[in-house]
Amino acid sequence: EAQVTQNPRYLITVTGKKLTVTCSQNMNHEYMSWYRQDPGLGLRQIYYSMNVEVTDKGDVPEGYKVSRKEKRNFPLILESPSPNQTSLYFCASSPGQAGSPLHFGNGTRLTVT
Amino acid sequence: SQQGEEDPQALSIQEGENATMNCSYKTSINNLQWYRQNSGRGLVHLILIRSNEREKHSGRLRVTLDTSKKSSSLLITASRAADTASYFCASSITGANSKLTFGKGITLSVRP
């Protein structure tokens, strides 16, 4: 089944404790992206990757890192999480042509205390 | 600021009625897409309309695009309780590679 898989689904952590949210897709998609969703703010793009070893900042990249060492994986790293990073995070992928529809994972709900 | 803005923010209708949701955007686009999100889950792509298209249908969905007004509408006909969800428009901006910019979403409630 074609899917984008994120883990974990829920995560509670404390300020400053490094964490990684994994994302993997099995559709051989070139484009991958991370979004955060907050009430009243909609979805905002954090980082995206056009292909392996190619990543770029989205609209709200501060406090996040990503890597794209393999085509299928695009982990999101929070080196020193803060409470304002409490949010619902989504990974998404697409074949890569401009404006292709995105396939979304089921989300990771992160709480930073 | 958001590229896409949906209107209304929330909509409550009776089962069987039609639901119309609107989206406005600011800059030139390649295409405009509509997504659905069930409570707290990932977004699911519904329909895509290209900048050179004016109307498109998919099952009970009808989407229109007016590039002169920079607006789109999504019509769900004969709504069902299962259509209850949040709906987002997303614009693919010309020259922005694969980036989609999302609006804040419309919450649709369909009463049985």
Side-chain angles (χ1 to χ4, degrees), chain B residues 37-77:
Chain B
Q37 182 184 34
N38 287 89
S39 180
R41 308 293 288 185
L43 280 72
V44 175
H45 177 257
L46 293 175
I47 194 166
L48 178 154
I49 187 165
R50 302 184 198 288
S51 60
N52 61 354
E53 297 175 314
R54 292 297 166 258
E55 186 171 317
K56 204 162 182 180
H57 296 255
S58 177
R60 293 185 296 114
L61 304 180
R62 171 179 169 254
V63 65
T64 61
L65 180 65
D66 186 334
T67 53
S68 66
K69 294 181 180 177
K70 292 188 169 57
S71 67
S72 173
S73 67
L74 174 68
L75 170 68
I76 304 175
T77 59

Side-chain angles (χ1 to χ4, degrees), chain A residues 9 31 35 37 40-45 50 59 88 90 94 96-102 104-106 109, chain B residues 2 30-31 33 35 37 39-45 48 88 92 96-105:
Chain A
R9 184 82 173 90
Y31 180 88
Y35 290 85
Q37 184 177 26
L41 296 176
L43 275 86
R44 294 179 292 169
Q45 189 179 49
M50 299 292 291
D59 299 316
L88 179 57
F90 289 102
S94 79
Q97 293 86 0
S100 301
L102 289 171
F104 280 82
N106 276 327
R109 188 168 292 280
Chain B
Q2 297 289 126
N30 293 317
N31 65 58
Q33 303 174 28
Y35 289 78
Q37 182 184 34
S39 180
R41 308 293 288 185
L43 280 72
V44 175
H45 177 257
L48 178 154
F88 293 83
S92 171
N97 294 314
S98 297
K99 180 175 181 176
L100 288 179
T101 303
F102 287 82
K104 295 179 183 179

Side-chain angles (χ1 to χ4, degrees), chain A residues 71-89:
Chain A
K71 199 170 189 178
R72 64 182 294 124
N73 296 323
F74 190 46
L76 179 70
I77 302 154
L78 284 73
E79 294 269 3
S80 183
S82 62
N84 65 12
Q85 292 178 300
T86 292
S87 187
L88 179 57
Y89 291 86

Side-chain angles (χ1 to χ4, degrees), chain A residues 25-36:
Chain A
Q25 51 91 6
N26 62 0
M27 295 167 280
N28 201 36
H29 284 169
E30 293 192 349
Y31 180 88
M32 298 185 75
S33 181
W34 277 102
Y35 290 85
R36 62 178 287 175

